[in-house]
Amino acid sequence: MGGTGSSSMMNSLLIYSWLCLMLSLVPFSIFFVALQSRPRIVEGTVFINGSSRIGRTDADFICATLDWWPPEKCDYGTCSWGTTSLLNLDLTNPLLLNAIKAFSPLKIRLGGTLQNKVIYETQQQACTASFIKSSSEMFGFSQGCLALSRWDELNTFFREAGAEVIFGLNALNGRTIASDGSAKGAWNSSNAEALIRYTVNKNFTIFGWELGNELSGSGIGTSVAPDQYASDITNLHDIVRKTYASLGKRKKKPLVLAPGGFYDANWLTEFINKTPKNSLQVVTHHIYNLGPGDDTHLIDRILDPSYLDGGSSPFSGLQGILKSSGSSAVAWVGEAGGAYNSGHNLVTNAFVFSFWYLDQLGMASSYNTKTYCRQSLVGGNYGLLNPTTFVPNPDYYSALLWHRLMGTKVLSTSFSGTKKIRAYAHCSKKSQGITILLINLDGNTIANVHVSTENAITIQTAQQHHQNRRSEFARMAKGSKVNAHVREEYHLTAGGDDLHSQTVLLNGKVLAVNNTSGSIPSMEPVEARLSDPITIAPFSIVFAHIANVTVPACMSNS
């Protein structure tokens, strides 16, 4: 009896001790989990070599596209184009006008898959056909028509908006489709020539004429051999030269661009080598390197630095071909939507896509790409603007900040500390100093970024020496008023910390258009002490303008 009581007491004591232990541990466990859920903090350094530039872009590097797709264009059961076609886009919408005007100027490329099925009305022959959905037709639609009255409306609108227009011509006109699916025969240029002549007579300004869309390499729908394409470009160049000759020096002659397709090294090498050196000014290529719009791993790829690194191949490859050919032509990205077949709703039109888009802009410029055209300005699930309301999506503001802050000279930039930070730097645009772009692909890490600039010199030092040095370096420094102790920062974060959000915050404040006037919001920086590191929140983007520091590359005229 006594032994049983002693055992029971012992068990009770053990249970009591265990309960006390658990009670003492539970709060600590909760506290430990809370600590684990907090973002970790890492220190890193962005290194900028300012001795010379590694690339140079056009001042109007940012470009966007407008397409021909009708409302019936659907992908994966979703019809995302609405009335955003060149044939039915509402040109009276003030928000659309203001969105373009904000860039002053914005390059706009008019084209896409259906441009190869467009006939242009002439003053001698009317056309009324519109794109009709048909599974038996190439690209899924019948032939369409650009009426001269609509061409007039478009040009009037673009003139008011201050846009620089690149028009994609129908490159399949006159060809036949062979049994192997390729397009045979020479391009029939008569209809395009009539449109170009009409455009000149109406005094419309066109920045460039581009021949074809995605007919290079294996092509989309069909393809054209590189030697034939080279011959067709020579034809287009002659048409442009002769048609614009009457204007003399009063108006700059438009550029000739081609082929507007996917990177194919062998095809492009033959095409460029067989095209007369003065016939082609721009080689355009398209980028949809994330895969189809219905892919469930799009965000995984966007947030993977190794995958993003792989996107450099077309840029470096094309530069190598141009250099080895001796061509004076330059490289453009003529169309880039990331995910083909109209993108993916709440991914390619949401905050998360700015990671991919800005990284592409930084990478392309590093390889001397002169212009980068985003698919699309409006239309599909990858537009900079909402296809129904024209309200800007997050990428619109990312593009606008790039346009206003990042200059034409590209600086060699690297980052140490974590692979999840992407870093790019340019000489600043229309101001002194340098601008750094930092992208944090990590949702659980705050990065404190220190800036190390090789061959840097402060504006104040330049001012002290400007009387002794008659250089561009001294000229920019003379009379400058720069706060030596601060930099300007623009922090972009997702609304509600949701990567799928179509709302973006700048320095903690929502960017929203004025519903009454349709005006684009101002984008003001916050100031930070120059001695402090740049702090990048998880899943965020920072543009940092350091006006008090410049480098020799930014002062050189080359």
Side-chain angles (χ1 to χ4, degrees), residues 15 76 98 132 147 161 181 229 236 253 264 340 365 383 414 453 479 483:
I15 292 171
Y76 318 118
N98 290 335
I132 298 173
Y229 223 115
L236 175 58
K253 188 168 65 176
D264 183 309
Y340 57 84
S365 60
S414 61
T453 309
N483 189 328

Side-chain angles (χ1 to χ4, degrees), residues 461-520:
T461 302
Q463 288 174 329
Q464 293 170 7
H465 292 86
H466 79 267
Q467 292 184 356
N468 301 324
R469 300 177 62 192
R470 296 179 179 274
S471 63
E472 178 71 6
F473 185 86
R475 183 190 66 78
M476 288 186 66
K478 185 177 181 179
S480 63
K481 295 181 179 179
V482 175
N483 189 328
H485 306 292
V486 302
R487 64 174 174 266
E488 294 178 335
E489 295 181 355
Y490 303 78
H491 294 252
L492 297 176
T493 53
D497 294 324
D498 179 5
L499 292 181
H500 297 279
S501 176
Q502 292 181 308
T503 299
V504 61
L505 281 65
L506 174 62
N507 299 323
K509 297 180 180 179
V510 173
L511 287 171
V513 298
N514 185 303
N515 292 327
T516 303
S517 64
S519 60
I520 302 299

Side-chain angles (χ1 to χ4, degrees), residues 123-189:
Q123 292 172 309
Q124 291 74 38
Q125 185 173 0
C127 64
T128 57
S130 60
F131 297 115
I132 298 173
K133 194 167 186 177
S134 172
S135 59
S136 63
E137 291 277 356
M138 184 184 293
F139 311 129
F141 288 89
S142 65
Q143 195 174 77
C145 165
L146 175 61
L148 290 179
S149 58
R150 182 59 176 178
W151 185 232
D152 292 349
E153 292 170 358
L154 287 166
N155 278 279
T156 299
F157 172 78
F158 291 131
R159 178 180 292 171
E160 183 181 359
E164 298 174 329
V165 175
I166 297 92
F167 187 82
L169 295 164
N170 178 351
L172 287 182
N173 198 24
R175 305 187 204 268
T176 58
I177 306 302
S179 58
D180 64 358
S182 63
K184 302 296 185 181
W187 173 51
N188 183 340
S189 60

